[in-house]
Amino acid sequence: AQRVTQPEKLLSVFKGAPVELKCNYSYSGSPELFWYVQYSRQRLQLLLRHISRESIKGFTADLNKGETSFHLKKPFAQEEDSAMYYCALSGYSGGGADGLTFGKGTHLIIQP
Amino acid sequence: EPEVTQTPSHQVTQMGQEVILRCVPISNHLYFYWYRQILGQKVEFLVSFYNNEISEKSEIFDDQFSVERPDGSNFTLKIRSTKLEDSAMYFCASRDFGNQPQHFGDGTRLSIL
């Protein structure tokens, strides 16, 4: 069975401070990992996916297969980063329609 | 940028009644999904749909649930006889062929009285 764990329900940091949102997963095969963000009163939006290996809005995430982690990081937090962040896993690997398994989400609050 | 649209934004229904939640996926997307999020809990996968049939479903998606693509644009989720525990936010998502990410709608808040 696949599982995604986000240990922090709430994370509060000051503007300009580094941010790390933790995500650990459990999956027997080769998963694809995503970070989705939900700003206040808006829809879930894709932030990052591990296969893209890109930085979006200053955020990066590296898949660590040894630690089964996909932590989201940003060196300098901005107030507009305040949102709910969801880590998600898909067992999709080149074909088929595979549902996402989500973590419970971390509410990130950036204080001025 | 094209978006997944869901209607209504809020649906209130009496327990035992049937409810249909509607979604218009992004045009020319091929894979369609329904998820739900009970208040305070995680987003949970319900079902995926491709080529006019269910591809995958979770254990939540029992006989009370059904999905349909009645025409070339809509994708619906029907709950036959609603229960109090069906109260949740329901999200529709779609994606294109290949290794493309899912795009989500704004959700429909379903309240069962």
Side-chain angles (χ1 to χ4, degrees), chain B residues 5-80:
Chain B
T5 56
Q6 290 185 243
T7 55
S9 57
H10 190 191
Q11 173 81 45
V12 181
T13 300
Q14 291 286 331
M15 186 172 62
Q17 295 296 305
E18 174 184 285
V19 67
I20 298 176
L21 308 182
R22 301 180 193 281
C23 169
V24 179
I26 293 173
S27 175
N28 73 32
H29 276 192
L30 298 174
Y31 296 89
F32 314 112
Y33 305 82
W34 282 101
Y35 295 82
R36 79 171 185 193
Q37 185 177 29
I38 295 171
L39 187 64
Q41 298 186 26
K42 66 170 72 176
V43 177
E44 300 172 290
F45 168 73
L46 292 178
V47 66
S48 60
F49 193 86
Y50 169 70
N51 200 25
N52 283 320
E53 60 183 22
I54 290 174
S55 303
E56 183 188 13
K57 58 184 181 179
S58 71
E59 57 192 27
I60 302 169
F61 194 87
D62 61 22
D63 292 344
Q64 291 299 311
F65 291 89
S66 62
V67 289
E68 195 177 32
R69 188 154 163 82
D71 52 42
S73 58
N74 290 283
F75 179 52
T76 61
L77 174 70
K78 183 195 290 188
I79 308 175
R80 264 179 268 283

Side-chain angles (χ1 to χ4, degrees), chain A residues 32-95:
Chain A
E32 184 169 2
L33 276 297
F34 304 83
W35 277 100
Y36 279 83
V37 61
Q38 188 173 35
Y39 300 103
S40 180
R41 301 175 193 270
Q42 295 186 27
R43 65 186 61 202
L44 281 162
Q45 302 172 37
L46 178 68
L47 181 64
L48 284 177
R49 53 193 308 203
H50 88 269
I51 63 170
S52 300
R53 302 185 67 80
E54 57 189 346
S55 173
I56 304 291
K57 300 184 180 184
F59 284 98
T60 58
D62 291 315
L63 180 62
N64 185 322
K65 291 186 178 179
E67 296 182 359
T68 59
S69 68
F70 188 57
H71 302 327
L72 183 68
K73 299 177 185 179
K74 184 168 182 176
F76 307 104
Q78 298 170 287
E79 286 185 70
E80 54 265 34
D81 295 330
S82 295
M84 277 296 288
Y85 290 80
Y86 294 95
C87 184
L89 175 155
S90 169
Y92 174 92
S93 56

